[in-house]
Amino acid sequence: MKLAKFKGAFDWHHHEHEDELFLVVKGSFDMEFRDRTVTVRPGEFLIVPRGVEHRPVAHDEAEVLLFEPASTVNTGNLTDSERTRTNLERL
């Protein structure tokens, strides 16, 4: 389980081997897929299956719990992105 805060548009990416579950704690965000956009509000969750290209977009800051393996890299297949985080802060 990871807690993330984000605002703005993230990079388009996918995860080869992991599904991701996004549970909104505060705020809301849009999950953009190549063929549609899904808005996720507080208390709601969305599962992105492995291999599906996606991009989270938060117009205002969103607080989101991510349920995924600890080894999951936030930018998925974009390992050379400036947004890639491999050394996460532990609470």
Side-chain angles (χ1 to χ4, degrees), residues 5-71:
K5 288 185 178 183
F6 53 88
K7 183 177 179 181
F10 201 65
D11 300 331
W12 283 100
H13 66 284
H14 70 273
H15 302 272
E16 292 286 335
H17 305 289
E18 306 94 0
D19 299 334
E20 289 184 291
L21 187 150
F22 294 80
L23 171 64
V24 177
V25 176
K26 185 176 180 183
S28 65
F29 75 97
D30 293 332
M31 183 62 77
E32 293 184 348
F33 298 99
R34 292 296 184 180
D35 63 344
R36 70 188 186 287
T37 299
V38 177
T39 299
V40 191
R41 295 177 177 84
E44 297 179 342
F45 69 91
L46 175 73
I47 298 172
V48 178
R50 68 191 72 171
V52 174
E53 195 170 29
H54 60 283
R55 177 174 80 152
V57 179
H59 302 287
D60 296 308
E61 185 175 82
E63 296 178 11
V64 179
L65 283 175
L66 293 110
F67 293 82
E68 58 192 13
S71 60

